[in-house]
């Protein structure tokens, strides 16, 4: 049953609270997340989940959940397709 299962990379999940102290108008990309050691260098997929209030306006260029999108836009940030 599971022998021929395709290997689909599951995204690494990050909470929105990891970005609370980031400077205003910073771009959040896969490269920046690796640079700040929030994810491992071999990671190819990431998803940002909500659950906390965001203070600064950031530009996200990685996939985000619906609740994270609301919090980002409420803080004045933008979501751009990756």
């Amino acid at each position: 049953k599971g022998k021929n299962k395709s290997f689909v990379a599951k995204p690494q999940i990050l909470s929105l609270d990891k970005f609370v102290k980031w400077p205003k108008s910073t771009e959040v990309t896969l490269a920046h997340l690796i640079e700040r050691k929030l994810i491992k260098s071999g990671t190819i997929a990431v998803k940002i989940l909500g659950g906390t209030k965001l203070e600064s306006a950031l530009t996200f260029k990685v996939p985000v959940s619906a609740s994270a999108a609301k919090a980002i836009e409420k803080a004045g940030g933008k979501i751009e397709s990756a």
Side-chain angles (χ1 to χ4, degrees):
K1 290 183 177 181
K3 289 183 180 180
N4 296 323
K5 204 175 194 180
S6 65
F7 295 101
V8 178
K10 292 186 178 181
Q12 184 172 345
I13 305 299
L14 286 177
S15 177
L16 201 57
D17 65 352
K18 302 280 186 196
F19 305 98
V20 171
K21 296 188 180 191
W22 281 39
K24 225 177 195 184
S25 64
T26 302
E27 285 189 354
V28 179
T29 62
L30 199 59
H32 284 113
L33 296 174
I34 292 170
E35 184 180 302
R36 292 182 181 226
K37 299 186 189 309
L38 291 174
I39 58 174
K40 295 179 182 177
S41 62
T43 305
I44 57 170
V46 170
K47 185 163 187 177
I48 310 298
L49 299 182
T52 188
K53 186 177 176 184
L54 192 63
E55 299 293 328
S56 55
L58 303 174
T59 302
F60 284 80
K61 294 188 175 184
V62 293
V64 298
S65 69
S67 61
K70 285 181 185 177
I72 292 165
E73 290 170 355
K74 190 173 183 179
K78 291 188 266 181
I79 302 164
E80 298 178 2
S81 58

